[in-house]
Amino acid sequence: MAGDTRQDEEWRAFVPPGEADEADIVPVGTGAGIPLDVIPSPRRDVATRTLPVGKAAARAVSDERDRGTGFVLVPVAMALGVIVYGALPFEPPLVLVAAIVGALVVTAHFVRARPALSFAVLATLAAMAGMGTAGLETWRADTAMMGSEIGSEITGRVVRIEHQATGRIRLTVDVISTARPELRYAPDRVRLSARNVPPDLQLGMTIIGIARLMPPSGPVRPGGYDFAYNSYYDGIGAIGFFLRDPVIAPSSSPLDWRETLKLRLEGVRLDIAARVRAVLEGAEAEIAATLIAGVRAGIPETINEDLRKTGLAHILSISGLHMALVAGTVLVAIRGGFALFPVFASRRPVKKYAATIALVAATLYLGISGGEVAAQRSYIMLAVMLVAILFDRAALTMRNLAISAIIVIAISPHEVLGPSFQMSFAATAALIGAYGWWSERRREPEAVQPQRGAIGRIGMGTLKFMLGLAATSVVAGLATTLYGAYHFHRVSPHALWVNLTAMPIVSAIVMPFAVLSAILIPLGLEALPLKVMGAGLTAVLEIAAWFAARSPIDAVGSLPVTAVAVFTIGLLIMTALSGRLRLAALPFLIVGTGLIASRDLPDVLVSEDGRLVAVAGTGRTLYVNRDRPNGFTIENWLHGMDTDRFEKPTEVETIADALARADTSPGFACAEKTCVARDGEGRLVTHVPDAVSAFAFCTSAALIVIDDATAGPVCRNGEAAIVTKKDVARRGSAEIRFGSDGAAPEIVHAIREPYRPWHTHRQFSREARGMPSYRRE
């Protein structure tokens, strides 16, 4: 008590008279080392509990304002602005956005004396700022994208080489020219695969070859991952493959210093990957190359699937975990080295020296790993925290996380809509919030702990480490499961046990020896640490394979956007607020759970080329109309429809036989290029090759999918619903829900018109213009 009284007096000595309040005093000895913006004052919390509900709520809100919670909400408002920008049915003029931002700045100045109104104005200002950054990014990208599939001779400069697990090589090429035919609207950058490339091909060289170019596709189902959206911001205007192996051509255009620097850095990455493959073999070599140099195209798909099923796929993406382990390994090693010189360490700020070196190491790792968006985001988060140490600030706080989010949103706003951004920041925010909650609990008086011997201390330390690892896995897993389920329609049922088993190996063996290997590669001494790293990876892969073989189906079906939004609000309340205000998250969690439980999955799915149709069946089965459906599409549909298998169609002699079989057996029956099936309610779904074939089903079918872009209004009002090849060419894949009591089916497409910049190219394909697909005579 005496110590507390003295500390209180010391605190008051730095507070102007009249501003000190007994409830505001946080004793220095209480929760030492815990950031004040993470935990509330214990005395204020006790005082709040004794007030009436209304006054207690007002006091709690005042506390949050004093803690600076409003600043934590700035990136949330900015992210909301980015989401609204992406959801708008039109491209907002940047001049208008700038005018609104200016008006809000002026308004904020005049209403600053009214807290509630000021908060609303500032939140709107942050949202408009987010919308403005998204608009600027779209304007900067301005990617020229292919409108339709075409073959052409491509001459271009190689800027990236990726060796895939299938044996093919994927090249990213900056297009210099096209010929036979010369494209009037050629893309600036394309991504092409080839069976073979010249053995002496290097980055920066010019190649020439005949390639089949295709526009980036839209989502395989409404609400799914949009390849065109991400390709637009990545600068990729077309994808495809070389019809013949490309050859090296003389280079005619010199490189500027920026391109030269990028190519040299890319060359360093490929050299590191080659050094890794020279020591290790198989999947271990490819994963080691991924973790050290960011070269991940060569990982076998079976390994990828095992890691996805067991919740370990995050170790392949260079993100917060890897940045933290690299910087943490360097930080601990440097501080341990300084500890060998106690006189120097006691007189110098060795913690700041170590933080500076760790920041340099993280910067080098960012460059070597390829600087992908996820790595950039994680680096920014880590850099903010290390710089905080340099300025004697707490490193892991909500405020620093907010600063990191603001920087990331300003640099790459479109990432807000991606799973990497959402899962990374959700996990970090949840961990900081859980740390704050645990810190509050630890400040309560504890019983005197008995003295333990050396073995007891080691055992207790090990137990605490495992409990901490388990708590971290549970908290981060719960925070990210929602977003993983929304984007990928799957969860990992054994993720907790797998991470408890494998992550100590990754943290203690794989990543430290990866850092050591990277340091020793210039000296040619990387073999031994790489072998130790490879042994660790072998253990991790064996763990993943063991759990994957015993994992049940992980498909959960698509989640409603409203449910994700409501759950996000609940997560935000739990992590950003403190004390009893966290209880306000419970209604949102309950409502979100109810929305998921009451979701309505579609009855029929149609691919964006109009060739593949799937009907939901009983027993977690999906019935399709093609013998060899696209692998990626069908896998996505299985997970999105909460099914675990699909059945191929049955071939019969005549359409009459197909109709008879559809009446008696589930699944598609096909004859004469026409496929028919009935859903669980007996409604007939047909897929026909042209408009003429569709006429026969207008009165008997509930849905007709016509694989013909020239087909017009085939059936009269009140008859079968129609989806044509032109419809999906213009508006993307579709999902259909049949109404009850004979109501018209609800048809939802993945893409809306009028188009946004990343979808404008769709209107130029032959099918989108109502023309038949090109066929060589």
Side-chain angles (χ1 to χ4, degrees):
M1 293 297 294
D4 287 350
T5 303
R6 179 178 58 81
Q7 291 165 351
D8 292 351
E9 292 174 352
E10 292 176 355
W11 180 86
R12 290 180 184 279
F14 293 94
V15 179
E19 296 187 11
D21 184 354
E22 184 66 26
D24 288 327
I25 300 175
V26 182
V28 176
T30 304
I34 300 172
L36 293 184
D37 63 339
V38 173
I39 61 174
S41 163
R43 300 185 184 182
R44 172 167 291 192
D45 189 56
V46 172
T48 301
R49 294 176 188 176
T50 62
L51 294 174
V53 176
K55 292 185 178 180
R59 182 63 176 274
V61 172
S62 177
D63 288 350
E64 295 301 327
R65 185 173 62 249
D66 294 341
R67 290 176 60 238
T69 303
F71 180 76
V72 174
L73 298 179
V74 169
V76 177
M78 292 181 65
L80 180 61
V82 175
I83 294 172
V84 171
Y85 169 83
L88 288 175
F90 60 91
E91 188 67 19
L94 288 177
V95 175
L96 177 61
V97 175
I100 295 175
V101 169
L104 289 171
V105 170
V106 174
T107 304
H109 174 75
F110 288 106
V111 301
R112 64 185 185 278
R114 303 174 63 181
L117 184 58
S118 178
F119 177 82
V121 172
L122 291 175
T124 306
L125 174 60
M128 293 304 301
M131 184 180 294
T133 58
L136 283 173
E137 184 186 31
T138 301
W139 174 75
R140 290 198 314 267
D142 194 26
T143 302
M145 304 183 75
M146 289 290 298
S148 60
E149 184 175 343
I150 193 171
S152 180
E153 185 180 79
I154 302 295
T155 302
R157 181 181 296 111
V158 178
V159 296
R160 191 162 191 176
I161 303 174
E162 299 172 277
H163 294 270
Q164 298 180 294
T166 58
R168 297 182 67 90
I169 298 94
R170 187 168 63 186
L171 305 177
T172 303
V173 180
D174 284 346
V175 177
I176 297 174
S177 64
T178 60
R180 297 188 299 171
E182 181 179 356
L183 304 180
R184 289 182 294 174
Y185 303 101
D188 297 321
R189 175 170 289 187
V190 297
R191 185 173 288 154
L192 305 170
S193 65
R195 290 189 179 88
N196 300 288
V197 296
D200 54 344
L201 179 66
Q202 297 180 5
L203 295 172
M205 287 185 172
T206 300
I207 60 172
I208 185 170
I210 299 176
R212 192 70 179 173
L213 300 177
M214 297 171 286
S217 63
V220 296
R221 61 186 304 274
Y225 181 86
D226 192 343
F227 293 92
Y229 177 81
N230 288 276
S231 296
Y232 180 86
Y233 289 106
D234 291 339
I236 304 296
I239 59 174
F241 53 90
F242 283 103
L243 298 175
R244 293 197 296 268
D245 295 340
V247 297
I248 298 175
S251 179
S252 58
S253 57
L255 302 176
D256 62 23
W257 68 270
R258 295 183 185 86
E259 292 176 326
T260 301
L261 179 62
K262 289 180 180 178
L263 291 177
R264 287 183 177 177
L265 190 57
E266 183 70 15
V268 170
R269 295 177 61 235
L270 293 179
D271 289 342
I272 292 175
R275 298 280 287 272
V276 171
R277 295 186 182 107
V279 177
L280 302 177
E281 296 179 350
E284 288 84 356
E286 299 303 328
I287 295 177
T290 297
L291 297 179
I292 297 175
V295 180
R296 62 174 298 176
I299 301 176
E301 183 56 31
T302 55
I303 299 298
N304 280 322
E305 183 61 21
D306 284 349
L307 295 175
R308 284 193 290 263
K309 289 185 69 173
T310 55
L312 284 177
H314 62 89
I315 69 173
L316 300 180
S317 174
I318 296 179
S319 54
L321 169 69
H322 306 79
M323 284 289 174
L325 289 176
V326 168
T329 300
V330 174
L331 188 70
V332 171
I334 297 300
R335 292 202 68 180
F338 282 137
L340 299 177
F341 306 93
V343 176
F344 178 83
S346 62
R347 296 180 178 180
R348 300 289 182 180
V350 294
K351 183 178 180 180
K352 295 183 179 180
Y353 296 163
T356 302
I357 297 173
L359 181 59
V360 172
T363 304
L364 292 175
Y365 185 51
L366 174 67
I368 292 175
S369 65
E372 298 292 341
V373 174
Q376 293 177 17
R377 182 191 62 255
S378 303
Y379 171 79
I380 291 171
M381 294 172 61
L382 182 67
V384 169
M385 295 173 184
L386 292 175
V387 170
I389 294 176
L390 300 181
F391 288 92
D392 298 313
R393 306 288 294 179
L396 194 62
T397 68
M398 281 293 185
R399 185 176 292 109
N400 288 348
L401 183 65
I403 294 173
S404 304
I406 291 172
I407 295 173
V408 171
I409 294 173
I411 294 175
S412 186
H414 79 278
E415 282 296 315
V416 169
L417 299 175
S420 183
F421 177 95
Q422 296 170 10
M423 297 175 73
S424 177
F425 278 100
T428 308
L431 290 172
I432 295 176
Y435 172 76
W437 175 85
W438 178 246
S439 299
E440 295 175 24
R441 305 284 77 78
R442 291 190 62 185
R443 286 185 287 108
E444 298 177 356
E446 297 181 357
V448 177
Q449 298 294 328
Q451 295 293 328
R452 296 184 177 90
I455 297 179
R457 290 194 298 271
I458 293 174
M460 183 56 64
T462 302
L463 178 61
K464 289 183 177 179
F465 172 78
M466 295 304 296
L467 289 175
L469 185 62
T472 300
S473 297
V474 170
V475 172
L478 289 175
T480 58
T481 294
L482 170 70
Y483 303 102
Y486 173 72
H487 288 284
F488 307 116
H489 316 309
R490 61 194 303 180
V491 296
S492 303
H494 297 320
L496 173 61
W497 313 115
V498 177
N499 278 273
L500 284 176
T501 308
M503 288 314 296
I505 301 174
V506 175
S507 302
I509 298 177
V510 174
M511 288 309 299
F513 281 92
V515 175
L516 184 59
S517 301
I519 294 174
L520 295 180
I521 280 178
L523 304 177
L525 304 175
E526 72 279 3
L528 181 58
L530 278 176
K531 290 180 179 179
V532 177
M533 180 186 181
L537 288 172
T538 299
V540 171
L541 294 180
E542 289 178 353
I543 292 170
W546 192 89
F547 277 100
R550 291 157 178 82
S551 293
I553 184 65
D554 55 355
V556 295
S558 59
L559 303 185
V561 176
T562 52
V564 177
V566 170
F567 266 115
T568 300
I569 296 173
L571 177 64
L572 179 64
I573 292 173
M574 286 193 297
T575 56
L577 304 183
S578 62
R580 293 192 172 186
L581 284 179
R582 292 195 182 106
L583 296 176
L586 289 178
F588 293 95
L589 301 182
I590 294 172
V591 172
T593 303
L595 290 173
I596 292 177
S598 61
R599 65 181 175 176
D600 181 23
L601 295 177
D603 298 301
V604 181
L605 295 173
V606 182
S607 65
E608 73 168 358
D609 61 1
R611 301 177 63 195
L612 181 63
V613 179
V615 175
T618 58
R620 298 175 62 88
T621 303
L622 202 63
Y623 300 109
V624 299
N625 67 316
R626 296 184 65 83
D627 287 325
R628 299 177 61 186
N630 178 272
F632 177 82
T633 300
I634 198 64
E635 181 182 7
N636 186 285
W637 284 6
L638 287 173
H639 290 138
M641 296 290 285
D642 193 16
T643 53
D644 54 17
R645 62 183 179 275
F646 70 93
E647 288 193 9
K648 300 177 182 179
T650 300
E651 294 291 338
V652 294
E653 293 293 330
T654 65
I655 295 178
D657 293 337
L659 287 170
R661 190 184 188 286
D663 291 335
T664 58
S665 303
F668 275 97
C670 299
E672 304 173 19
K673 298 182 180 180
T674 297
C675 294
V676 297
R678 293 192 182 275
D679 70 349
E681 301 297 326
R683 291 173 288 240
L684 184 65
V685 177
T686 66
H687 181 270
V688 298
D690 50 45
V692 175
S693 304
F695 279 115
F697 298 100
C698 281
T699 57
S700 59
L703 174 70
I704 304 175
V705 180
I706 307 176
D707 191 17
D708 182 5
T710 64
V714 177
C715 301
R716 295 188 295 266
N717 290 335
E719 296 182 336
I722 302 295
V723 175
T724 69
K725 197 178 189 72
K726 179 180 178 181
D727 294 331
V728 292
R730 294 192 65 87
R731 298 193 291 274
S733 58
E735 58 184 24
I736 296 92
R737 293 174 175 85
F738 293 117
S740 57
D741 300 328
E746 177 191 14
I747 302 176
V748 178
H749 286 272
I751 296 168
R752 295 179 303 176
E753 295 184 89
Y755 294 121
R756 302 300 295 278
W758 47 88
H759 289 146
T760 304
H761 63 281
R762 298 187 67 94
Q763 63 187 309
F764 300 112
S765 69
R766 292 177 59 89
E767 293 80 5
R769 291 179 287 167
M771 302 170 63
S773 301
Y774 175 79
R775 290 183 175 86
R776 185 184 297 273
E777 296 297 336

